[in-house]
Amino acid sequence: MVNSGTTQSPHTPLDGLPAAALAAVDVPVFITADEGGAWPIVWVNESFVRTTGFTASQVMGREPGMLRSATTDEQVVEQLRASMRAGVGRTEVLRAEAADGSPFWARVSVSPMRDADTVTHWVVVLVDVTELMDRDVEHAALVASERRERTSLGLVAQVSDLLMDIDDPHTLREIARLLERGLVRWASFYLNDGGLRAVDGVDAGSAPTGRGTRHGNVPPDQVEIDRAPDADPVQQMLDGEREGPYELALRSDRPATSASGWLARRLGTSATGATTDRDRLPDDVASVVLLPVPGRRRVLGLLAVVPRTGAGVDVLDEATLTVLTLTVRRVGLAVDNVRLYAREHRLAETLQRAMLPEQAEVDGLDVWTYYAPNSEHAQVGGDWYDVLQVAPDVVGVVIGDVVGHDVEAAAAMGQLRSVVRSSVYEEAEPGAVLSRVDKLVAGMRVPRPAGLVLTTMRRHGDGWRVAYSRAGHLPALHVRGGEVTRLSGAGGPLIGFGRAPRESAWTDVLPGDFLVFYTDGLIERRDRSLRQGVESLTEVAGSITALDAAGIGEEVLSRLADSPEDDVAVVVVRVPGPDDETRRSGSPRVRRWVLPGEPASIGRARHAVLRTARAWDLAGVGHAELVVSELVANAVLHGWGQVQLRLYDTGDGLRIEVEDSNPTPPVTTDGHPGRIGGFGMQIVERLADWGWRPARGGKLVWAKVRDSRR
């Protein structure tokens, strides 16, 4: 029956006004019969025909399945069918398809028509909500995009925060974990430091960026260089010849000697569990995405990631790739900066230490010297000291400080040290020496002002006659029996600014007395003035009980130099007393010396151990002299640079530590065939417990000699 532009079957319960009303509705409406699980269409209005493009004759008697498309959510369709089977109305939004194949979003409402308690038909209303859904999708996409941008900015900010502590040994691992939490499935950094390797942090001791190098994980004689354009893409990235990102297949047939083959095998075995690599990959990963970590002049290494969806470059969206690119750039810059700064620091410190004299052995005097740059702030300054044997009965002591904390300050210090040293040998009276230095420095145009104290000591009976002159420097301390005198006379302006002849002052130093020379780094703090710092040092010096120069110095350092804010240089000169052997020392049970890398240091180390054992009443450590002799001899023969000697009272013996700049560990041998020697570590092994550990730029070897009386 056709009525008012509608089409219905003879069994449709619509007539008169209801049929006219539904026909007039400007939304698609159709009616289905309820045939116990089947719902054939029995009536449609004209709006349905216009909207869907299906004519009444095409749909009559068929179920509404012709409106479904390939993108229709079948779960939503099943929910509608379940409601109709239960005789309950329902409204859902689903993706539909018109007769010409064009998709549209429809809000579908099904309502039952009943005859008494039985559902006989269903009225189905379709509302086209395509524009609304598109707007919602666009809004959702915009919200998601903004959320991703906020997340990306947050990640970059967190990466920057972590890089503020680039010296932390786990910084790069923390950045990788941060990327895993917010961006990718897995991430790890690989730096090309003498070979490509996974790293948790940055080795500041590696060289700053320079010319590109091969990955270096195979011996040079096994490297097979293939000149094909795509022979080794990972090496090309390291050489700066290929940009990232690059997808590396883990199951690769590339040569194991290539960077690509080495990395693919390393990560491939990590994924299958064949190794215990700390950067273990998920088992289902077949490839990783690599991005170069750029330095200033070469690529420092790689960032390897596994995207969250899929495993290739194609699934890295623009936002993710942007964050990863910003991350590797920031990491590369931070690594370059910390290495460059560390290199400058090492250069300045090496220059400064090379210009510092070795601790002098002076007949009739106990001398101890100490210097430490302010490593906490990576500063290197112009502090220096000098101990000179001018003549058999004349000793010169100089301590000074050049303004600044850089290579220029260290260079200026070297110039001044040379000028003062040469002048002292020609003129022993301190005031006259500094007057001459003023003139020389003015002519040399030394770029930094400096202060110093120059002291000459002459034997005088059982003691020493001390003459001194100060050029803008803090006064040395003279301690006798707990009473402290500041040698504050003969003061004058900084070196180079003296216009009038400088003066000298004199005092006598008797057996048991000691002198303390120091730079302002020992006492200067932000929360107190220099005057208060000198007063604190004066109080400490008056309460010292140590009977040797090294013990005096250690007690001063332990009470005043726990957290220095500047470089620290200290020289302690003590005149041995007649009752030193019978008195007990209450000084800190630690001693340290810096010795030159020359054979004479072996004897000096033995004397240091004997003197310390007497001060600490460690008569039961007779083997310690032989042990320290062997350790220092090894450092002199096989190391390079200065040798640092440290002694500790462990309560049940003496711990000896010897540090040098050679990182190669010591080994016990059966001697050297055809020549004498080679048994040093065997001797140490028989007489003491010993071991070693890496130290900054070298190694530290320790040995513990037990006190046989305890």
Side-chain angles (χ1 to χ4, degrees):
M1 177 183 299
V2 178
N3 185 12
S4 301
T6 64
T7 302
Q8 61 186 39
S9 75
H11 305 289
T12 303
L14 289 177
D15 201 3
L17 185 60
L22 286 178
V25 172
D26 194 25
V27 293
V29 179
F30 64 90
I31 298 176
T32 70
D34 191 323
E35 297 181 354
W39 296 275
I41 297 174
V42 298
W43 184 91
V44 299
N45 67 358
E46 290 296 334
S47 180
F48 175 86
V49 175
R50 290 194 306 270
T51 300
T52 66
F54 288 103
T55 65
S57 60
Q58 288 177 312
V59 300
M60 200 63 66
R62 298 173 58 188
E63 290 200 39
M66 81 287 294
L67 296 174
R68 283 149 64 179
S69 71
T71 59
T72 300
D73 190 337
E74 294 298 327
Q75 185 176 356
V76 175
V77 173
E78 182 55 36
Q79 290 171 351
L80 285 170
R81 294 171 66 90
S83 294
M84 294 172 73
R85 284 194 293 267
V88 179
R90 189 182 186 94
T91 300
E92 294 287 351
V93 176
L94 53 75
R95 191 77 161 167
E97 188 174 277
D100 61 1
S102 58
F104 66 96
W105 285 98
R107 180 180 291 114
V108 181
S109 298
V110 296
S111 302
M113 296 177 64
R114 301 178 186 276
D115 183 1
D117 294 333
T118 303
V119 176
T120 60
H121 295 79
W122 290 86
V123 178
V124 183
V125 180
L126 306 178
V127 178
D128 189 343
V129 292
T130 301
E131 183 178 350
L132 178 62
M133 290 297 294
D134 288 345
R135 189 162 56 245
D136 288 347
V137 170
E138 183 179 351
H139 177 70
L142 181 61
V143 170
S145 176
E146 291 178 351
R147 185 179 294 114
R148 284 195 302 271
E149 289 181 4
R150 288 197 300 270
T151 301
S152 298
L153 290 174
L155 280 172
V156 173
Q158 291 179 69
V159 168
S160 299
D161 290 341
L162 288 172
L163 288 174
M164 294 293 290
D165 194 17
I166 189 66
D167 291 329
D168 186 285
H170 305 295
T171 296
L172 296 185
R173 183 177 65 184
E174 290 301 317
I175 293 175
R177 298 301 162 267
L178 177 65
L179 296 177
E180 290 176 355
R181 290 193 296 270
L183 212 62
V184 296
R185 287 182 65 191
W186 175 89
S188 181
F189 284 95
Y190 290 80
L191 294 183
N192 192 19
D193 295 338
L196 200 61
R197 59 190 179 89
V199 294
D200 291 336
V202 179
D203 179 9
S206 295
T209 57
R211 298 181 60 186
T213 58
R214 295 192 61 80
H215 72 105
N217 286 302
V218 294
D221 58 349
Q222 297 181 22
V223 174
E224 302 171 2
I225 302 177
D226 192 335
R227 300 298 183 182
D230 195 39
D232 194 354
V234 172
Q235 184 62 52
Q236 289 174 342
M237 292 181 73
L238 295 175
D239 292 339
E241 299 173 358
R242 175 190 287 266
E243 296 183 355
Y246 171 74
E247 184 178 356
L248 176 68
L250 301 185
R251 292 166 180 80
S252 171
D253 58 356
R254 300 181 187 278
T257 53
S258 67
S260 302
W262 178 87
L263 185 57
R265 283 162 178 75
R266 176 186 175 89
L267 292 176
T269 54
S270 177
T272 58
T275 68
T276 57
D277 194 324
R278 66 180 180 276
D279 291 319
R280 189 177 303 280
L281 283 169
D283 292 339
D284 60 338
V285 173
S287 65
V288 296
V289 178
L290 304 176
L291 291 92
V293 177
R296 287 182 176 84
R297 289 178 290 178
R298 74 172 176 93
V299 174
L300 303 177
L302 304 169
L303 169 62
V305 300
V306 176
R308 287 187 169 176
T309 304
V313 177
D314 295 340
V315 299
L316 286 176
D317 58 66
E318 184 178 352
T320 299
L321 187 56
T322 298
V323 173
L324 294 177
T325 301
L326 290 174
T327 297
V328 294
R329 287 178 179 174
R330 278 167 167 74
V331 168
L333 182 62
V335 172
D336 239 2
N337 283 343
V338 71
R339 289 178 172 177
L340 192 62
Y341 199 71
R343 183 187 184 189
E344 181 181 348
H345 177 70
R346 289 194 303 271
L347 174 63
E349 185 177 348
T350 301
L351 175 63
Q352 191 170 31
R353 286 192 180 277
M355 293 178 178
L356 288 174
E358 308 299 344
Q359 184 171 311
E361 290 289 341
V362 180
D363 184 28
L365 291 175
D366 183 8
V367 180
W368 179 85
T369 57
Y370 174 81
Y371 166 75
N374 182 18
S375 57
E376 180 180 353
H377 297 92
Q379 292 179 329
V380 175
D383 290 18
W384 92 94
Y385 62 83
D386 218 341
V387 180
L388 310 171
Q389 186 81 58
V390 179
D393 292 329
V394 180
V395 176
V397 180
V398 186
I399 194 162
D401 184 3
V402 175
V403 175
H405 300 88
D406 51 23
V407 176
E408 187 177 80
M413 177 271 289
Q415 290 178 291
L416 284 173
R417 173 178 175 269
S418 298
V419 170
V420 173
R421 173 176 276 233
S422 61
S423 300
V424 167
Y425 279 99
E426 296 182 10
E427 172 62 64
E429 198 270 305
V433 171
L434 293 189
S435 295
R436 181 180 181 185
V437 171
D438 278 330
K439 297 177 182 178
L440 292 174
V441 167
M444 294 169 59
R445 300 184 182 274
V446 175
R448 301 292 182 89
L452 63 85
V453 174
L454 171 61
T455 301
T456 57
M457 304 177 65
R458 294 180 180 272
R459 292 182 188 272
H460 185 70
D462 293 336
W464 296 73
R465 182 73 169 167
V466 176
Y468 64 92
S469 183
R470 297 187 303 119
H473 199 80
L474 297 167
L477 302 183
H478 174 205
V479 183
R480 175 182 297 168
E483 295 185 5
V484 183
T485 302
R486 300 175 189 171
L487 304 183
S488 55
L494 295 171
I495 287 295
F497 294 90
R499 300 293 180 263
R502 294 184 182 265
E503 300 178 349
S504 298
W506 288 265
T507 189
D508 290 321
V509 180
L510 303 179
D513 293 2
F514 63 88
L515 301 171
V516 180
F517 303 86
Y518 57 95
T519 57
D520 56 7
L522 178 67
I523 60 173
E524 187 176 27
R525 300 293 182 272
R526 292 185 179 89
D527 58 350
R528 70 185 183 197
S529 66
L530 276 177
R531 182 184 298 275
Q532 292 172 320
V534 173
E535 291 174 354
S536 296
L537 175 59
T538 302
E539 181 180 352
V540 168
S543 62
I544 287 175
T545 59
L547 304 179
D548 59 320
I552 295 169
E554 293 294 347
E555 190 162 347
V556 168
L557 293 178
S558 66
R559 296 173 64 177
L560 292 174
D562 53 344
S563 56
E565 297 172 2
D566 201 349
D567 305 333
V568 176
V570 181
V571 177
V572 177
V573 179
R574 184 177 184 274
V575 181
D579 56 348
D580 288 353
E581 298 290 337
T582 60
R583 293 173 57 194
R584 294 295 302 274
S585 172
S587 63
R589 316 292 269 189
V590 59
R591 299 288 188 269
R592 76 193 86 177
W593 292 266
V594 178
L595 307 172
E598 58 187 32
S601 294
I602 302 171
R604 290 182 54 193
R606 290 201 304 268
H607 295 157
V609 167
L610 292 175
R611 196 160 49 238
T612 302
R614 285 196 299 269
W616 292 346
D617 191 27
L618 298 177
V621 291
H623 297 317
E625 183 182 1
L626 184 55
V627 169
V628 76
S629 177
E630 295 297 337
L631 294 182
V632 174
N634 276 343
V636 170
L637 291 173
H638 306 297
W640 52 80
Q642 295 174 321
V643 178
Q644 297 188 44
L645 169 65
R646 288 182 286 270
L647 305 177
Y648 300 89
D649 181 1
T650 63
D652 60 349
L654 183 69
R655 179 183 172 93
I656 303 167
E657 293 184 356
V658 176
E659 183 177 340
D660 63 61
S661 299
N662 185 352
T664 305
V667 294
T668 57
T669 68
D670 294 328
H672 301 305
R675 55 193 177 95
I676 299 174
F679 298 98
M681 294 312 298
Q682 283 195 19
I683 295 174
V684 173
E685 197 168 63
R686 288 178 178 272
L687 300 179
D689 299 326
W690 75 280
W692 76 281
R693 61 177 172 82
R696 187 181 66 175
K699 68 177 179 297
L700 183 149
V701 183
W702 61 268
K704 182 177 178 180
V705 181
R706 297 189 180 277
D707 190 334
S708 59
R709 301 174 306 170
R710 300 181 184 180

